Amino acid sequence: AMITTSCLIAASLTATSCQAASNSTPDTAQAQTTIKNGDLNRSDFYVPHHETGRVKNLVTDYGAKNDDVNNDTAILQKAINDMSKAGGGKVVLPRGNYHLGTITMRSHVTVEIEEGSILYPFIDRPEPKKAKKKKAKKKKPARKRPINASFFKFGEGAERIENAALQGTGKGFIFDVRSIGTEQVKVAQVLNAENFLISNFTVLDARSKFSAISMNPYEVGGEFYGPKNGIMEKIEHYGGIAVQAGNITSIEMSHKSH
């Protein structure tokens, strides 16, 4: 079965589809309504940040290898951090294969992944805790701890990130997370972010317990934060739930679940 969702949401909501819903913040329960596509402009949801002309290539400028199975997390994170500190710009991943753990997006940075690229998970599974020794009792085998990971995080903590984008070129790139099976993995998690774009890729899943992309409220010191002003578009998801949305404001979504 294929589920197609295409809508604009100009209010806070909690829903797994684009329908009227209630605000998820603890102190309010106000019904909100979906806005039809013709009522608002794209710029009401996302405005590309000022282009500095600054572009860095992860392979030629940072020495990443996109034809092996090594962990590319640290080198991509460094490129994003450097670009943000320099005032913003674009980090380009040329066509190839990349193996990534958790990447933290930064303000004023676009991560652009070339058409045909494939992103695979590279996750070090936490070691199970050692059971305390007890006399006259047979030890139970250590239980495998599940993976709980997000590949691209947009905002975490009280400091909101702004003007961040994750996008593919041409016909898009692929997130292939099937090797993780049904564990708890998200390809993108949007928490405390404003004016963001997530666009143009396919997720190959194996019925993960989590949705591929989540937009959830985030609490810091009793204050709740959530995604505001953003676009998610041209996303196809095979083998799971594409998007989970909660406590969001002014978001445009367009995706397909197979």
Side-chain angles (χ1 to χ4, degrees):
M2 181 179 74
I3 301 172
T4 302
T5 303
S6 181
C7 67
L8 306 178
I9 304 168
S12 298
L13 65 83
T14 301
T16 53
S17 62
C18 294
Q19 299 175 348
S22 296
N23 193 310
S24 66
T25 53
D27 299 325
T28 23
Q30 180 182 1
Q32 307 290 351
T33 308
T34 300
I35 305 298
K36 294 181 180 179
N37 285 349
D39 294 342
L40 295 170
N41 297 317
R42 181 182 177 89
S43 59
D44 293 318
F45 295 86
Y46 171 74
V47 178
H49 63 275
H50 177 67
E51 289 293 339
T52 63
R54 191 178 295 107
V55 179
K56 292 293 183 180
N57 186 298
L58 196 66
V59 172
T60 58
D61 292 316
Y62 280 86
K65 305 293 183 182
N66 59 358
D67 57 357
D68 60 17
V69 295
N70 293 329
N71 188 353
D72 300 302
T73 307
I75 198 166
L76 176 55
Q77 189 65 67
K78 176 173 171 50
I80 292 171
N81 293 349
D82 289 349
M83 188 63 73
S84 182
K85 290 177 182 177
K90 185 184 296 182
V91 176
V92 174
L93 278 64
R95 183 168 182 167
N97 297 336
Y98 300 89
H99 296 77
L100 299 174
T102 299
I103 298 294
T104 301
M105 297 294 288
R106 303 295 186 194
S107 293
H108 315 302
V109 176
T110 294
V111 175
E112 183 177 274
I113 302 173
E114 290 190 355
E115 175 183 354
S117 295
I118 303 177
L119 274 56
Y120 296 99
F122 190 103
I123 298 176
D124 293 323
R125 184 185 295 275
E127 292 294 328
K129 293 181 179 179
K130 294 182 179 180
K132 293 182 179 179
K133 293 182 179 180
K134 293 183 179 180
K135 295 180 180 180
K137 285 188 178 181
K138 187 177 180 181
K139 290 183 180 179
K140 292 183 179 180
R143 186 177 179 181
K144 184 175 71 172
R145 296 179 65 187
I147 292 172
N148 185 341
S150 300
F151 287 103
F152 286 87
K153 278 192 174 183
F154 288 71
E156 188 173 28
E159 183 177 354
R160 183 183 290 272
I161 72 162
E162 300 176 340
N163 311 324
L166 171 66
Q167 63 185 26
T169 65
K171 295 181 179 179
F173 65 95
I174 294 172
F175 275 108
D176 189 345
V177 298
R178 292 174 295 182
S179 64
I180 298 180
T182 58
E183 305 221 44
Q184 300 165 169
V185 177
K186 303 170 185 177
V187 300
Q189 186 176 24
V190 188
L191 297 167
N192 193 4
E194 182 172 357
N195 196 46
F196 62 91
L197 173 68
I198 300 175
S199 176
N200 200 14
F201 57 82
T202 297
V203 180
L204 302 181
D205 202 345
R207 300 290 174 188
S208 169
K209 294 178 182 178
F210 284 172
S211 54
I213 300 171
S214 70
M215 297 184 291
N216 296 318
Y218 189 80
E219 181 183 4
V220 179
E223 295 291 332
F224 282 82
Y225 303 86
K228 181 180 179 182
N229 295 346
I231 292 179
M232 294 192 307
E233 64 180 1
K234 301 178 184 178
I235 298 168
E236 293 204 35
H237 189 212
Y238 292 82
I241 302 171
V243 178
Q244 179 190 42
N247 196 43
I248 63 179
T249 305
S250 298
I251 308 296
E252 176 184 357
M253 293 188 289
S254 177
H255 61 83
K256 296 179 181 179
S257 293
H258 300 265

